[in-house]
Amino acid sequence: MSNLRNLFIAFLIPAIGLYFGGEAISQSKISEGHLKMEITEVSMQGQSGNPEMEMAMEMMKGSTMELFFSPEHELSVVNMAGGMSIIRTKMDFESNQSTMFMEMMGQKMMVDLGEVEGVDEDINFETQVNKSNRRNIVGFDCYEVVFNANIEGQNMQMTLYVTEDIVTRSSLIQGVQQNPFQGTPLAMEMNVMGMTMKYEAKEFNRSFDKAVFNIDRSGYREMSLEQLQNMGMGGF
């Protein structure tokens, strides 16, 4: 069961790790749009031949992470295992507030994450940029960035492919307040807690219905981040 919990936590790392840099966005950059990423591969060390874990990892494949972004708002939507769990994280830059909406196993929970730029975690990380290693992903030229960090005692390594043509304020990495990239990752390979996950962008749209930012709060149980952690989400 602990392995299943770790798998769940590792998947959610990009979902709630949306902290923001303060750089001005050039008018030549895309600052509004809809990005859809998909998990293409999931594996865990030492779990080959474990039917329970193999089934869980297979269910994770095809899970999606969407990012809707504009100068005023950003919204991430993580849909795991065909709707088994849906997590929406909304950032309102005008009010400087962030809120997470979670739907899982019949429960609806709403968590106030505080100010958008109000978290200052003690984290050591480094990035290595390799612009000679490039890929074209959904029509955008991307270059390789290797990201290494220690977050809450967990070593994490990621290999990303970043495009400078799309500039969001989300780093997509838990605990990193300032966006360490010059653009937006369109592919990620994450290694954490003995697990490897690969995400890749499958779709990008320059326009979308802004009504997506209007989330109906009825039916959600309000709780604090501490209460969420006490429910077993200690990795957050």
Side-chain angles (χ1 to χ4, degrees), residues 1-234:
M1 183 61 68
S2 62
N3 284 331
L4 281 172
R5 176 178 171 274
N6 285 345
L7 183 65
F8 178 72
I9 290 173
F11 179 76
L12 288 181
I13 283 175
I16 68 170
L18 300 178
Y19 301 103
F20 307 92
E23 293 185 7
I25 298 174
S26 167
Q27 291 184 358
S28 64
K29 306 294 185 181
I30 298 173
S31 60
E32 181 171 300
H34 166 225
L35 176 66
K36 183 174 183 178
M37 302 184 74
E38 182 179 307
I39 287 186
T40 58
E41 185 177 323
V42 185
S43 61
M44 180 180 290
Q45 294 178 3
Q47 295 302 315
S48 179
N50 182 331
E52 181 184 35
M53 286 306 302
E54 287 183 350
M55 180 179 295
M57 289 186 287
E58 189 63 32
M59 288 177 64
M60 297 287 282
K61 292 179 183 178
S63 296
T64 61
M65 178 171 62
E66 298 181 75
L67 182 65
F68 301 86
F69 61 98
S70 73
E72 296 78 26
H73 310 280
E74 287 194 9
L75 173 70
S76 72
V77 181
V78 174
N79 188 321
M80 184 171 65
M84 180 182 295
S85 174
I86 300 176
I87 299 93
R88 297 177 175 87
T89 306
K90 180 183 177 182
M91 306 295 174
D92 188 325
F93 304 124
E94 294 179 332
S95 65
N96 194 29
Q97 293 297 310
S98 55
T99 309
M100 180 167 62
F101 302 84
M102 308 177 69
E103 298 178 33
M104 59 183 67
M105 296 176 285
Q107 298 188 66
K108 298 176 70 175
M109 296 162 284
M110 181 172 62
V111 182
D112 181 3
L113 298 177
E115 295 183 357
V116 168
E117 297 186 45
V119 178
D120 187 16
E121 295 182 275
D122 184 16
I123 174 176
N124 295 314
F125 68 89
E126 60 181 23
T127 59
Q128 179 181 341
V129 176
N130 181 11
K131 291 194 174 183
S132 64
N133 191 355
R134 310 184 80 93
R135 291 180 56 192
N136 186 288
I137 303 174
V138 293
F140 293 95
D141 179 47
C142 305
Y143 56 82
E144 182 185 72
V145 177
V146 178
F147 177 92
N148 290 282
N150 185 286
I151 301 176
E152 298 182 359
Q154 294 286 349
N155 292 320
M156 180 173 66
Q157 182 181 73
M158 301 181 73
T159 301
L160 310 100
Y161 282 86
V162 174
T163 178
E164 294 188 6
D165 294 328
I166 303 172
V167 181
T168 68
R169 298 167 79 174
S170 302
S171 74
L172 301 178
I173 301 174
Q174 182 186 20
V176 181
Q177 184 172 1
Q178 300 296 324
N179 190 339
F181 311 120
Q182 296 299 312
T184 299
L186 297 187
M188 301 185 289
E189 179 177 335
M190 177 172 60
N191 297 283
V192 60
M193 295 183 287
M195 288 169 284
T196 298
M197 289 189 183
K198 293 183 179 180
Y199 298 77
E200 185 163 326
K202 297 297 183 181
E203 182 180 335
F204 178 76
N205 301 292
R206 288 177 177 263
S207 61
F208 61 94
D209 187 352
K210 302 302 189 301
V212 71
F213 294 126
N214 302 324
I215 300 175
D216 183 0
R217 299 186 174 217
S218 62
Y220 283 92
R221 177 163 60 98
E222 292 189 44
M223 60 194 312
S224 67
L225 188 58
E226 182 180 1
Q227 289 174 314
L228 183 67
Q229 292 170 337
N230 291 337
M231 291 177 61
M233 305 299 184

